[in-house]
Amino acid sequence: AQRVTQPEKLLSVFKGAPVELKCNYSYSGSPELFWYVQYSRQRLQLLLRHISRESIKGFTADLNKGETSFHLKKPFAQEEDSAMYYCALEKYAGNQFYFGTGTSLTVIP
Amino acid sequence: DAGVIQSPRHEVTEMGQEVTLRCKPISGHNSLFWYRQTMMRGLELLIYFNNNVPIDDSGMPEDRFSAKMPNASFSTLKIQPSEPRDSAVYFCASRSDTGELFFGEGSRLTVL
């Protein structure tokens, strides 16, 4: 069963434009949600998690339990934001991490 | 700490051959995960271990895949026999106490 859905495989925006990467999840319990990012030639790494409620590199993500979504947003995209982004869900107390299929973001100069 | 270490970084083999991928997690991390990355399916969880014990291997595609963690500092993922459809990047990750996953650089497998 698909637990994390990222509907866009590819997303291109112009520098300075707002960007939103969509993520929807299906899980009946209380999930922990994360965004991981993989920059070119770098390891996959944590970008942010919903429980910390912080902004990292200008990105924010709000957990919407009603819509079961955890979209990643940034008001003004920068060229260095070009990367592969994965939404991830951790089942409560389960230690099982499930990732979406990823969205490749390209910021056009 | 050098982070999660995987080997080999690249492997090219012929169909039917045995493939062994290796992972050294970050010292002190008690959970270890194996993922397979493909364009079509993204990151698929294959198996994970807690304190060296396999907890959930429901993501292992079939009996050709097996994973072991003989001690806290080493894990292997074995494919025998390998098939072309196994071609992918295989990632190992270990989990810190804060819940963050730390990934290795991946092992790119090509089965001809």
Side-chain angles (χ1 to χ4, degrees), chain A residues 11-21 58-59 72-78 81 105-107:
Chain A
L11 183 64
S12 295
V13 299
F14 285 100
K15 178 182 173 181
V19 61
E20 180 179 67
L21 291 86
F59 284 98
L72 183 67
K73 300 177 184 179
K74 185 169 182 176
F76 308 104
Q78 302 299 314
D81 297 329
L105 174 66
T106 300
V107 179

PDB file of all heavy atoms in Angstrom, chain A residues 11-21 58-59 72-78 81 105-107:
ATOM      1  N   LEU A  11       9.571  19.007 -11.367  1.00  0.00           N
ATOM      2  CA  LEU A  11       8.988  20.322 -11.150  1.00  0.00           C
ATOM      3  C   LEU A  11      10.036  21.371 -11.490  1.00  0.00           C
ATOM      4  O   LEU A  11      11.169  21.285 -11.019  1.00  0.00           O
ATOM      5  CB  LEU A  11       8.553  20.475  -9.687  1.00  0.00           C
ATOM      6  CG  LEU A  11       7.860  21.768  -9.290  1.00  0.00           C
ATOM      7  CD1 LEU A  11       6.536  21.916 -10.028  1.00  0.00           C
ATOM      8  CD2 LEU A  11       7.611  21.800  -7.774  1.00  0.00           C
ATOM      9  N   SER A  12       9.646  22.305 -12.345  1.00  0.00           N
ATOM     10  CA  SER A  12      10.557  23.390 -12.710  1.00  0.00           C
ATOM     11  C   SER A  12       9.915  24.722 -12.368  1.00  0.00           C
ATOM     12  O   SER A  12       8.738  24.934 -12.677  1.00  0.00           O
ATOM     13  CB  SER A  12      10.868  23.347 -14.211  1.00  0.00           C
ATOM     14  OG  SER A  12      11.575  22.177 -14.540  1.00  0.00           O
ATOM     15  N   VAL A  13      10.714  25.591 -11.750  1.00  0.00           N
ATOM     16  CA  VAL A  13      10.239  26.937 -11.435  1.00  0.00           C
ATOM     17  C   VAL A  13      11.369  27.913 -11.751  1.00  0.00           C
ATOM     18  O   VAL A  13      12.540  27.533 -11.791  1.00  0.00           O
ATOM     19  CB  VAL A  13       9.820  27.081  -9.959  1.00  0.00           C
ATOM     20  CG1 VAL A  13       8.681  26.136  -9.614  1.00  0.00           C
ATOM     21  CG2 VAL A  13      10.996  26.870  -9.029  1.00  0.00           C
ATOM     22  N   PHE A  14      11.005  29.155 -11.941  1.00  0.00           N
ATOM     23  CA  PHE A  14      12.014  30.174 -12.164  1.00  0.00           C
ATOM     24  C   PHE A  14      12.529  30.693 -10.833  1.00  0.00           C
ATOM     25  O   PHE A  14      11.827  30.708  -9.819  1.00  0.00           O
ATOM     26  CB  PHE A  14      11.444  31.327 -12.986  1.00  0.00           C
ATOM     27  CG  PHE A  14      11.283  30.996 -14.447  1.00  0.00           C
ATOM     28  CD1 PHE A  14      10.050  30.635 -14.965  1.00  0.00           C
ATOM     29  CD2 PHE A  14      12.383  31.030 -15.302  1.00  0.00           C
ATOM     30  CE1 PHE A  14       9.911  30.325 -16.315  1.00  0.00           C
ATOM     31  CE2 PHE A  14      12.239  30.713 -16.647  1.00  0.00           C
ATOM     32  CZ  PHE A  14      11.011  30.350 -17.152  1.00  0.00           C
ATOM     33  N   LYS A  15      13.764  31.106 -10.845  1.00  0.00           N
ATOM     34  CA  LYS A  15      14.378  31.699  -9.663  1.00  0.00           C
ATOM     35  C   LYS A  15      13.530  32.869  -9.179  1.00  0.00           C
ATOM     36  O   LYS A  15      13.096  33.701  -9.974  1.00  0.00           O
ATOM     37  CB  LYS A  15      15.785  32.189 -10.022  1.00  0.00           C
ATOM     38  CG  LYS A  15      16.523  32.877  -8.889  1.00  0.00           C
ATOM     39  CD  LYS A  15      17.884  33.365  -9.365  1.00  0.00           C
ATOM     40  CE  LYS A  15      18.563  34.209  -8.303  1.00  0.00           C
ATOM     41  NZ  LYS A  15      19.877  34.711  -8.769  1.00  0.00           N
ATOM     42  N   GLY A  16      13.284  32.886  -7.877  1.00  0.00           N
ATOM     43  CA  GLY A  16      12.491  33.947  -7.296  1.00  0.00           C
ATOM     44  C   GLY A  16      11.012  33.644  -7.225  1.00  0.00           C
ATOM     45  O   GLY A  16      10.260  34.355  -6.536  1.00  0.00           O
ATOM     46  N   ALA A  17      10.588  32.610  -7.908  1.00  0.00           N
ATOM     47  CA  ALA A  17       9.173  32.232  -7.891  1.00  0.00           C
ATOM     48  C   ALA A  17       8.894  31.347  -6.673  1.00  0.00           C
ATOM     49  O   ALA A  17       9.796  30.686  -6.155  1.00  0.00           O
ATOM     50  CB  ALA A  17       8.811  31.497  -9.172  1.00  0.00           C
ATOM     51  N   PRO A  18       7.636  31.304  -6.245  1.00  0.00           N
ATOM     52  CA  PRO A  18       7.311  30.386  -5.138  1.00  0.00           C
ATOM     53  C   PRO A  18       7.322  28.944  -5.618  1.00  0.00           C
ATOM     54  O   PRO A  18       7.069  28.658  -6.792  1.00  0.00           O
ATOM     55  CB  PRO A  18       5.890  30.823  -4.744  1.00  0.00           C
ATOM     56  CG  PRO A  18       5.333  31.447  -5.974  1.00  0.00           C
ATOM     57  CD  PRO A  18       6.484  32.083  -6.689  1.00  0.00           C
ATOM     58  N   VAL A  19       7.624  28.061  -4.700  1.00  0.00           N
ATOM     59  CA  VAL A  19       7.644  26.647  -5.052  1.00  0.00           C
ATOM     60  C   VAL A  19       6.894  25.854  -3.987  1.00  0.00           C
ATOM     61  O   VAL A  19       6.950  26.175  -2.804  1.00  0.00           O
ATOM     62  CB  VAL A  19       9.087  26.121  -5.212  1.00  0.00           C
ATOM     63  CG1 VAL A  19       9.871  26.255  -3.926  1.00  0.00           C
ATOM     64  CG2 VAL A  19       9.104  24.680  -5.685  1.00  0.00           C
ATOM     65  N   GLU A  20       6.159  24.855  -4.447  1.00  0.00           N
ATOM     66  CA  GLU A  20       5.447  23.965  -3.540  1.00  0.00           C
ATOM     67  C   GLU A  20       5.621  22.536  -4.035  1.00  0.00           C
ATOM     68  O   GLU A  20       5.256  22.231  -5.170  1.00  0.00           O
ATOM     69  CB  GLU A  20       3.967  24.309  -3.464  1.00  0.00           C
ATOM     70  CG  GLU A  20       3.186  23.390  -2.519  1.00  0.00           C
ATOM     71  CD  GLU A  20       1.723  23.738  -2.412  1.00  0.00           C
ATOM     72  OE1 GLU A  20       1.008  23.569  -3.431  1.00  0.00           O
ATOM     73  OE2 GLU A  20       1.285  24.163  -1.328  1.00  0.00           O
ATOM     74  N   LEU A  21       6.153  21.686  -3.198  1.00  0.00           N
ATOM     75  CA  LEU A  21       6.289  20.272  -3.531  1.00  0.00           C
ATOM     76  C   LEU A  21       5.244  19.520  -2.707  1.00  0.00           C
ATOM     77  O   LEU A  21       5.225  19.615  -1.484  1.00  0.00           O
ATOM     78  CB  LEU A  21       7.689  19.755  -3.210  1.00  0.00           C
ATOM     79  CG  LEU A  21       8.814  20.291  -4.077  1.00  0.00           C
ATOM     80  CD1 LEU A  21       9.366  21.597  -3.553  1.00  0.00           C
ATOM     81  CD2 LEU A  21       9.931  19.254  -4.189  1.00  0.00           C
ATOM     82  N   GLY A  58      14.823  28.390   4.200  1.00  0.00           N
ATOM     83  CA  GLY A  58      13.655  29.092   3.688  1.00  0.00           C
ATOM     84  C   GLY A  58      12.455  28.201   3.414  1.00  0.00           C
ATOM     85  O   GLY A  58      11.390  28.690   3.036  1.00  0.00           O
ATOM     86  N   PHE A  59      12.617  26.904   3.607  1.00  0.00           N
ATOM     87  CA  PHE A  59      11.530  25.960   3.381  1.00  0.00           C
ATOM     88  C   PHE A  59      10.715  25.756   4.657  1.00  0.00           C
ATOM     89  O   PHE A  59      11.260  25.718   5.755  1.00  0.00           O
ATOM     90  CB  PHE A  59      12.066  24.589   2.941  1.00  0.00           C
ATOM     91  CG  PHE A  59      12.523  24.515   1.522  1.00  0.00           C
ATOM     92  CD1 PHE A  59      13.865  24.648   1.209  1.00  0.00           C
ATOM     93  CD2 PHE A  59      11.614  24.304   0.497  1.00  0.00           C
ATOM     94  CE1 PHE A  59      14.301  24.579  -0.112  1.00  0.00           C
ATOM     95  CE2 PHE A  59      12.038  24.226  -0.824  1.00  0.00           C
ATOM     96  CZ  PHE A  59      13.381  24.366  -1.122  1.00  0.00           C
ATOM     97  N   LEU A  72       5.710  20.875   0.972  1.00  0.00           N
ATOM     98  CA  LEU A  72       6.916  21.672   1.238  1.00  0.00           C
ATOM     99  C   LEU A  72       6.845  22.960   0.434  1.00  0.00           C
ATOM    100  O   LEU A  72       6.585  22.918  -0.769  1.00  0.00           O
ATOM    101  CB  LEU A  72       8.160  20.867   0.836  1.00  0.00           C
ATOM    102  CG  LEU A  72       9.520  21.500   1.109  1.00  0.00           C
ATOM    103  CD1 LEU A  72       9.772  21.601   2.611  1.00  0.00           C
ATOM    104  CD2 LEU A  72      10.620  20.686   0.436  1.00  0.00           C
ATOM    105  N   LYS A  73       7.105  24.085   1.090  1.00  0.00           N
ATOM    106  CA  LYS A  73       6.930  25.367   0.413  1.00  0.00           C
ATOM    107  C   LYS A  73       8.126  26.277   0.649  1.00  0.00           C
ATOM    108  O   LYS A  73       8.783  26.217   1.696  1.00  0.00           O
ATOM    109  CB  LYS A  73       5.669  26.082   0.925  1.00  0.00           C
ATOM    110  CG  LYS A  73       4.389  25.316   0.719  1.00  0.00           C
ATOM    111  CD  LYS A  73       3.207  26.054   1.325  1.00  0.00           C
ATOM    112  CE  LYS A  73       1.933  25.243   1.216  1.00  0.00           C
ATOM    113  NZ  LYS A  73       0.771  25.916   1.818  1.00  0.00           N
ATOM    114  N   LYS A  74       8.357  27.117  -0.344  1.00  0.00           N
ATOM    115  CA  LYS A  74       9.358  28.173  -0.212  1.00  0.00           C
ATOM    116  C   LYS A  74       8.875  29.348  -1.031  1.00  0.00           C
ATOM    117  O   LYS A  74       8.494  29.178  -2.185  1.00  0.00           O
ATOM    118  CB  LYS A  74      10.722  27.698  -0.694  1.00  0.00           C
ATOM    119  CG  LYS A  74      11.838  28.709  -0.473  1.00  0.00           C
ATOM    120  CD  LYS A  74      13.204  28.114  -0.723  1.00  0.00           C
ATOM    121  CE  LYS A  74      14.296  29.142  -0.446  1.00  0.00           C
ATOM    122  NZ  LYS A  74      15.659  28.589  -0.578  1.00  0.00           N
ATOM    123  N   PRO A  75       8.870  30.536  -0.462  1.00  0.00           N
ATOM    124  CA  PRO A  75       8.298  31.679  -1.179  1.00  0.00           C
ATOM    125  C   PRO A  75       9.119  32.144  -2.377  1.00  0.00           C
ATOM    126  O   PRO A  75       8.554  32.600  -3.366  1.00  0.00           O
ATOM    127  CB  PRO A  75       8.203  32.769  -0.108  1.00  0.00           C
ATOM    128  CG  PRO A  75       9.144  32.359   0.961  1.00  0.00           C
ATOM    129  CD  PRO A  75       9.243  30.875   0.914  1.00  0.00           C
ATOM    130  N   PHE A  76      10.442  31.996  -2.290  1.00  0.00           N
ATOM    131  CA  PHE A  76      11.301  32.487  -3.376  1.00  0.00           C
ATOM    132  C   PHE A  76      12.379  31.448  -3.653  1.00  0.00           C
ATOM    133  O   PHE A  76      13.344  31.322  -2.899  1.00  0.00           O
ATOM    134  CB  PHE A  76      11.953  33.823  -2.997  1.00  0.00           C
ATOM    135  CG  PHE A  76      10.977  34.868  -2.528  1.00  0.00           C
ATOM    136  CD1 PHE A  76      10.859  35.169  -1.175  1.00  0.00           C
ATOM    137  CD2 PHE A  76      10.170  35.543  -3.434  1.00  0.00           C
ATOM    138  CE1 PHE A  76       9.956  36.115  -0.732  1.00  0.00           C
ATOM    139  CE2 PHE A  76       9.262  36.490  -3.007  1.00  0.00           C
ATOM    140  CZ  PHE A  76       9.145  36.787  -1.652  1.00  0.00           C
ATOM    141  N   ALA A  77      12.225  30.715  -4.723  1.00  0.00           N
ATOM    142  CA  ALA A  77      13.166  29.640  -5.040  1.00  0.00           C
ATOM    143  C   ALA A  77      14.526  30.187  -5.455  1.00  0.00           C
ATOM    144  O   ALA A  77      14.617  31.227  -6.127  1.00  0.00           O
ATOM    145  CB  ALA A  77      12.602  28.770  -6.155  1.00  0.00           C
ATOM    146  N   GLN A  78      15.567  29.475  -5.057  1.00  0.00           N
ATOM    147  CA  GLN A  78      16.939  29.819  -5.427  1.00  0.00           C
ATOM    148  C   GLN A  78      17.538  28.679  -6.270  1.00  0.00           C
ATOM    149  O   GLN A  78      17.100  27.530  -6.161  1.00  0.00           O
ATOM    150  CB  GLN A  78      17.793  30.032  -4.181  1.00  0.00           C
ATOM    151  CG  GLN A  78      17.259  31.115  -3.247  1.00  0.00           C
ATOM    152  CD  GLN A  78      17.202  32.469  -3.920  1.00  0.00           C
ATOM    153  OE1 GLN A  78      18.153  32.893  -4.578  1.00  0.00           O
ATOM    154  NE2 GLN A  78      16.090  33.168  -3.751  1.00  0.00           N
ATOM    155  N   ASP A  81      18.489  25.439  -4.716  1.00  0.00           N
ATOM    156  CA  ASP A  81      17.427  24.544  -4.259  1.00  0.00           C
ATOM    157  C   ASP A  81      17.201  23.388  -5.229  1.00  0.00           C
ATOM    158  O   ASP A  81      16.461  22.451  -4.901  1.00  0.00           O
ATOM    159  CB  ASP A  81      16.112  25.315  -4.096  1.00  0.00           C
ATOM    160  CG  ASP A  81      16.180  26.391  -3.034  1.00  0.00           C
ATOM    161  OD1 ASP A  81      16.942  26.199  -2.046  1.00  0.00           O
ATOM    162  OD2 ASP A  81      15.503  27.425  -3.191  1.00  0.00           O
ATOM    163  N   LEU A 105      13.344  18.814  -8.361  1.00  0.00           N
ATOM    164  CA  LEU A 105      13.100  20.250  -8.527  1.00  0.00           C
ATOM    165  C   LEU A 105      14.243  20.892  -9.296  1.00  0.00           C
ATOM    166  O   LEU A 105      15.411  20.713  -8.943  1.00  0.00           O
ATOM    167  CB  LEU A 105      12.955  20.917  -7.157  1.00  0.00           C
ATOM    168  CG  LEU A 105      12.849  22.447  -7.161  1.00  0.00           C
ATOM    169  CD1 LEU A 105      11.548  22.893  -7.824  1.00  0.00           C
ATOM    170  CD2 LEU A 105      12.949  23.015  -5.747  1.00  0.00           C
ATOM    171  N   THR A 106      13.885  21.630 -10.317  1.00  0.00           N
ATOM    172  CA  THR A 106      14.866  22.419 -11.065  1.00  0.00           C
ATOM    173  C   THR A 106      14.471  23.883 -10.975  1.00  0.00           C
ATOM    174  O   THR A 106      13.336  24.238 -11.315  1.00  0.00           O
ATOM    175  CB  THR A 106      14.914  21.999 -12.545  1.00  0.00           C
ATOM    176  OG1 THR A 106      15.274  20.616 -12.626  1.00  0.00           O
ATOM    177  CG2 THR A 106      15.948  22.824 -13.299  1.00  0.00           C
ATOM    178  N   VAL A 107      15.400  24.701 -10.510  1.00  0.00           N
ATOM    179  CA  VAL A 107      15.162  26.141 -10.449  1.00  0.00           C
ATOM    180  C   VAL A 107      15.906  26.777 -11.613  1.00  0.00           C
ATOM    181  O   VAL A 107      17.136  26.686 -11.717  1.00  0.00           O
ATOM    182  CB  VAL A 107      15.630  26.726  -9.108  1.00  0.00           C
ATOM    183  CG1 VAL A 107      15.380  28.238  -9.076  1.00  0.00           C
ATOM    184  CG2 VAL A 107      14.914  26.033  -7.955  1.00  0.00           C
TER     185      VAL A 107
END
